[in-house]
Amino acid sequence: MKSSRPYLVRALYEWIVDNDCTPHLLVNAEFAGVQVPAGFASDGQIVLNVSPSAVRHLHMDNEAISFEGRFAGVPQSLYIPSAAVLAIYARENGQGMVFEVESGVLEAEEIAEQDDQGPPDSEPPRPSGRPSLKVVK
């Protein structure tokens, strides 16, 4: 099943803008494929104002978010894979959603190694075919 993250980001973006608030993205700047201006990230993360008045050519799809923005007055093109988005929220009141951290692109060897190991001992295996839900705070 496809990740719900890009769908939720798009829906929350529209909801925040419809309520006349300023949407901000918290992005893992060290995630594979992320293209953000150097020197603006702190602790491997960057907060981006993605309001319609702050960006140009905003494009959100299931793969990534891309747009043009200004940093220190210099126009920059940004590219954020959907999995690199850690949160989307309204600057004015903090309402939005925080997502679980996803690791960057795994090498084929790491994927094969994980498949060989099976599930970790601390987590009981789930019966196949049954859905599971998590509480998102």
Side-chain angles (χ1 to χ4, degrees):
M1 193 169 203
K2 293 181 183 180
S3 172
S4 61
R5 184 179 310 221
Y7 299 94
L8 294 170
V9 169
R10 288 193 300 268
L12 287 166
Y13 175 86
E14 287 191 30
W15 174 70
I16 291 167
V17 171
D18 283 351
N19 283 285
D20 297 320
C21 291
T22 310
H24 278 70
L25 292 176
L26 175 62
V27 175
N28 177 354
E30 297 173 346
F31 192 88
V34 169
Q35 294 174 4
V36 294
F40 289 92
S42 175
D43 295 327
Q45 299 178 346
I46 187 168
V47 176
L48 302 168
N49 176 350
V50 289
S51 68
S53 62
V55 301
R56 292 180 49 190
H57 308 296
L58 178 65
H59 180 74
M60 295 182 175
D61 62 23
N62 291 349
E63 303 304 317
I65 299 169
S66 61
F67 58 91
E68 292 178 9
R70 290 186 164 282
F71 291 81
V74 179
Q76 303 273 339
S77 292
L78 288 84
Y79 182 85
I80 298 112
S82 295
V85 176
L86 301 174
I88 181 169
Y89 62 94
R91 178 185 67 197
E92 292 78 4
N93 57 22
Q95 291 191 1
M97 182 176 284
V98 177
F99 301 100
E100 287 185 11
V101 176
E102 290 187 19
S103 60
V105 178
L106 295 176
E107 298 295 324
E109 293 174 33
E110 291 174 333
I111 293 171
E113 185 178 307
Q114 288 176 356
D115 289 343
D116 291 342
Q117 292 176 355
D121 294 335
S122 62
E123 188 178 311
R126 286 185 266 154
S128 61
R130 294 191 58 196
S132 63
L133 299 175
K134 292 182 182 178
V135 176
V136 178
K137 294 182 182 181

